[in-house]
Amino acid sequence: LLKVEGSRVTWYRPDSLAVLLALKKSFPQAKLVAGNSEVGIETKFKMVDYPVMISTAAVPELHELAFGNNGSLNVGGAVTLTDLEHHLEHFLAEHKLSTASGMRAMLDMIRWFASVQIRNVAVLAGNIVTASPISDLIPVLMALDAKLVMASACNGPREVLVCDFLKSYRVVELKPDEVLCSVHVPAPDLPNGVYEFVRSYKQAKRRDDDISIVNACLRVQLEPTANGWTVLHVRAVFGGMAATTKRAKHAEAAFLGQPWGQATLDSALKELTKDVPLEKHAPGGMAAYRQTLAASFMFKFFNTVSLELARKRDGSMPSAPDIADKDISSTRNFLSEDPPVTHGSQSFHVPSGGLQQTAAAGGKDHDCITDTSRAPVGQPLSHRSALPQCTGEAKYVDDMPSIPGTLHAAMVLSERAHARILSVDTSDAEALPGVTKVFTASDLSDEQNMIGPILPDEELLRRTTVQSTGQPIACVVAESVEVAQRATRLVKVQYQDLKPILTIEDAIREKSFHTPLLYIEDGDVDAAFAMPDTVQVEGEIRIGAQEHFYLETNATLVEPGESDEITVYTSTQNPMKAQKFAAIACGIPFSKVVCRMKRMGGGFGGKETRTVFISSLAAFAAHRLRKPVRINVERDVDMWITGGRHPFLAKYRAGADPDGKLRALDVKIYNNAGYSLDLSEPVLARALFHLDNSYKVPNLRAVGHLCFTNTVSNTAFRGFGGPQGLLVCEAWMEHLATALKMQPEQLRARNLYPLEGSRTHFLQLLHQCPLQRMWKELSSSAEVEGRIAQVQEFNQQNRWRKRGIAMLPTKFGISFTAKFMNQAGALVHIYTDGTVLVTHGGTEMGQGLHTKMIQVVARAFEIPLQDVTIRETSTDTVPNSSPTAASASSDLYGMALLNACDQLKGRLQPYLEKAGGNFKSAVNTAYFDRCDLSAHGFYKPEGIGYDWSNPKSEERGTPFNYFTHGAACSEVEVDVLTGDMRIMRADILMDLGNSLNPAIDIGQVEGAFMQGVGWCTIEEVIWGCEELKWLKPGQCFTRGPGNYKIPSFNDVP
């Protein structure tokens, strides 16, 4: 027996079943721990305390795993799912038994149970005792009439059927002093000539590592008779349809003793509605879909069994129900299918020439140079930090060691969507040992407390009201993370609830808008619609939010220095804003604050502004307490409070002539800003700029409404409103194509912008627009015409699985639409050994910006890549930098660095001539000649900027420096019975100009494609509202990977 005593928990590891039972007798409320996969969730997120924990890992009796001579299976209580999986695989490989159908169903389900890592430690007994209503294995065990063997020190072993073990939601038939010792799965008792069929089913948002929406296991034993096959025994068990896993007894009764045929199935399906009734607002939502899944699983099972009977039939067997060829597709089930082998190819062009210089070299920015050699610029080089990131050597904020005396901060977050704060009682929290201080709004002046990237309409700590759940009310600073988090739960906040506005529809009804509205009009929309032959459609589209789901959550470490100086290490795309608001919160000059950022573990726009309130709180606490303070936000909190991609609602009216030439568009779009402005206005603006996608619409009117709601403040996200605008465009294009009775691809091709001469609806002239060329190239390379015919043929031959194919273009504007943000600074130092240290205002978040900048500098000086180093981004080397965003950082910082390099090359030119071009020798000579080997570079693109406040569209300006263009074709297959989907093939063609690094850019394109797949298929941000009454109003349901799913490897085409 091993015993470990801690301050709050005592841990036991017994080495025999007898000792385990004795411990359970002494500590009946003790928690048994095996893989910790559920206990970890309970203690971390449900705040459950277990003073006594007992590990079952070293109890040999609980590790027994064996098949009996008759094919029965005994699984010990501490057997991991991986061990069970491998045991079943070996058994099924060696025993081709017709009676092993149940074991195959169990193996099929285990393979898709959680992840390999979870299965390696989780045990079957733990999954059973947890009694989740969506357990993947309990339906299988119930269908197989499995028994559970339990024991205690006072009583001998007793057996309970799994179906009798489940009492109510997560309540089981297990006495406090009992231990679930083993699971016994009996072998089927089949009379001669009787066949058994068992199948398991599961539907989740994604296949890999996901909890079920609904799962099931169906089992039937069929006896041949003179009149056909008769049901001798049946089990139909469903998970996700009630508070516990449930047998469909009415449906079973409809099958039992009846002939195996369509009439019996129809009767069973009718009875199934009695077994699995779900209220419209049942917990978990999707009530109608879940009921449909249950019926679909039963239908699939019937067809599968019927098809297998037909295959088994010989002259002595009765015939099976006939399954038409078109219905065979209903029998497919991803649980029992191997994933298809995937492959991919990438092609790109590495051009020569095309290099430019800056004004520092004489002439103007972007003047061409004659040298045709580009390397290493344009080469497909690996990311500079790829290997350190893969090996774990790359350091992030959370990896930085804490110096002695470092404190830890945690936030007290609002629990109401909209309410007045009546009182905040911090006394219990402050009394907790280890707590240093609890800060509230009373510790900050109004000026210190107000933040916001455009409009200071947010508070660091809420003073009188809360406008959303998840807003900081207090900040606890303590000696450890655990104490800080425990103290946050001791702060008592009293509220007076106010009426919340939770959706865009609520905001429209209550007129909860930011003013002024954004408005664009080009041409005569009303006149175009008034033409008698205009084909018109009207409709609306709702677009959901998306969580950034960067790998590294928000993290900040602040170290105070002397004379009010502080250094902020934070994971941010915007060091300038982190510096600015940390200084404001502390009441000190900006120059006293240095923000340092080496790398982020992803950003996607989520760390452009929404990191600021977190880093500013840590800075304020560190400055006030004169001690280092760090805050690392947990994933569930980060997803709750930092916002994401804006939800949109668009109402459109579109028209075209009878031949499919677009004539007019009138559209109103609404975005859900959340509780504050943040960047919602420019996000809305970019959506308006992209309402045309790639098509010439001669008459267009668009109005953008920015809605304030009592939900999280939404923010920048990859594309920054552009994807929403593009999606709105394709909604009305599809609608118009249907009205015109033409293929959407035909309508798109007919209206693509030409190479030259067209202007967008915001009057920007398009130059060298490659859309028509790219459309033809992709149509040919992706074999679109032939595949459309193949898809149509497939759909004619398959009733229950359907394929679809679509081809789309894109046009995306590059630059910040706010003119002042289009500027960049850089600093280049040359050392006497000829190596170069580079600093610029951009941040590295995995997108390869630093790698590209190293390529630019190495090419400028014609030196090896390894001689160029970028250490970090810091506000004390390059001040006032714009955020790394808008897909413009390579352009901006590349030119700024080139400007600095051109300055230095001009200074070094005479020394290079003397040294015969030897860079290191020239640098050394220049140093002794007292030549300045450091240069600050700066760049600002000319001719851009757009003024929304100008009432005359033609005088507003040009928002974008240029456009990138793309086209993509995707083919998908959908199981129409379950909604299960797989992307069969995706072809992507992008025109990015002359790429600085094709390997990195291809990675970005592929990653963006999959992020878009997630947004449009499985990712769903859910907040409680009138439509989702099973949630509290304003409560964020998707606060972690358990409820929010991004695409997995299995989803990649």
Side-chain angles (χ1 to χ4, degrees), residues 999-1015:
I1000 285 176
D1001 287 340
I1002 288 173
Q1004 288 292 294
V1005 170
E1006 292 177 344
F1009 178 84
M1010 289 311 302
Q1011 200 166 46
V1013 167
W1015 176 44

Side-chain angles (χ1 to χ4, degrees), residues 280-281 285 503 505 542 1023-1031:
K280 180 180 179 181
H281 299 293
T503 65
E505 288 81 1
R542 288 172 172 80
W1023 286 74
C1025 61
E1026 183 64 24
E1027 293 182 12
L1028 303 172
K1029 293 184 177 179
W1030 51 279
L1031 289 172

Side-chain angles (χ1 to χ4, degrees), residues 158-230:
R158 69 183 181 105
E159 294 185 348
V160 177
L161 286 169
V162 174
C163 58
D164 297 328
F165 185 69
L166 308 173
K167 293 301 181 183
S168 59
Y169 179 71
R170 294 189 181 267
V171 176
V172 296
E173 178 61 34
L174 186 68
K175 297 175 183 177
D177 63 341
E178 283 186 320
V179 172
L180 174 53
C181 296
S182 64
V183 181
H184 176 72
V185 183
D189 183 14
L190 297 179
N192 188 36
V194 173
Y195 286 89
E196 178 175 82
F197 302 90
V198 188
R199 290 292 183 276
S200 53
Y201 297 91
K202 170 179 179 174
Q203 188 58 50
K205 288 191 174 183
R206 69 179 183 207
R207 294 177 178 86
D208 288 324
D209 194 12
D210 196 2
I211 57 176
S212 296
I213 300 170
V214 175
N215 52 32
C217 187
L218 294 104
R219 175 189 184 192
V220 67
Q221 294 176 0
L222 299 177
E223 181 181 24
T225 66
N227 297 321
W229 293 94
T230 300

Side-chain angles (χ1 to χ4, degrees), residues 220-225 227-234 250-268 271 302 309 321:
V220 67
Q221 294 176 0
L222 299 177
E223 181 181 24
T225 66
N227 297 321
W229 293 94
T230 300
V231 179
L232 191 65
H233 177 81
V234 63
H250 289 90
E252 290 177 358
F255 274 117
L256 193 61
Q258 299 299 312
W260 184 255
Q262 186 64 48
T264 301
L265 173 64
D266 292 343
S267 176
E271 293 298 305
F302 175 83
L309 284 174

